[in-house]
Amino acid sequence: MIPLRLVIDTNIVVSAALKPDGLQRTVLLLAIAKPARLYVTEAILAEYQEVLARPELKIRRGLRQQLLQLIKNHAQPVRAIRPLQVAKDPDDDKFLECADTARADYLVTGNTRDFPKFWKKTKVITPRGFIGIVAPHLIP
């Protein structure tokens, strides 16, 4: 089976930390399980770390560390080939840059309105849409 190439927006990682039974946690687990392959850049990892540590989110330090280590252990690091200015929010361009470099199949985000529907061959998709494609039996 050909592995799915994925990039995951920070809001998915944060929601996975906050809602253990949510679809976002399922997306994260699917992204790090074979045959999928999760891609990250240093900028993405830094944003995951910074946002997970925000005091207002009240995410336990141990859980933050576990999630970040899980991602680091299973994700494929890439270095963005070229800077892009495509997303409505310039902070989101890093995810498209990663998807571009990794030739990702999907960019999973809870905030699809800030991204184009597609970037080259990468489809921007919600967690529910992603799970509906790769594991529809997991949707209640």
Side-chain angles (χ1 to χ4, degrees), residues 27-131:
V27 168
L28 181 59
L29 293 174
L30 288 170
I32 61 171
K34 290 185 181 191
R37 181 164 288 155
L38 175 62
Y39 290 86
V40 295
T41 60
E42 285 296 322
I44 289 173
L45 284 174
E47 181 171 300
Y48 288 171
Q49 186 168 0
E50 185 269 317
V51 175
L52 286 169
R54 289 182 181 165
E56 64 269 22
L57 295 176
K58 297 181 172 128
I59 299 171
R60 289 184 349 268
R61 184 170 176 247
L63 178 57
R64 291 192 317 256
Q65 290 174 329
Q66 279 181 322
L67 278 173
L68 289 168
Q69 197 58 54
L70 190 66
I71 291 167
K72 288 177 185 176
N73 288 347
H74 294 278
Q76 180 72 39
V78 295
R79 188 179 307 262
I81 295 171
R82 64 181 129 325
L84 298 173
Q85 294 179 331
V86 179
K88 288 181 184 169
D89 178 352
D91 284 343
D92 288 335
D93 283 325
K94 68 175 79 58
F95 298 99
L96 292 169
E97 292 165 359
C98 182
D100 188 40
T101 300
R103 297 183 319 279
D105 299 301
Y106 296 103
L107 166 58
V108 186
T109 179
N111 196 17
T112 55
R113 68 188 168 277
D114 282 350
F115 293 94
K117 289 188 189 309
F118 281 91
W119 177 253
K120 296 187 180 177
K121 74 171 210 133
T122 303
K123 180 175 176 60
V124 177
I125 194 167
T126 64
R128 182 171 292 281
F130 175 71
I131 294 171

Side-chain angles (χ1 to χ4, degrees), residues 2 9 15 19 54 60 79:
I2 298 170
D9 193 356
S15 293
K19 297 185 263 182
R54 289 182 181 165
R60 289 184 349 268
R79 188 179 307 262

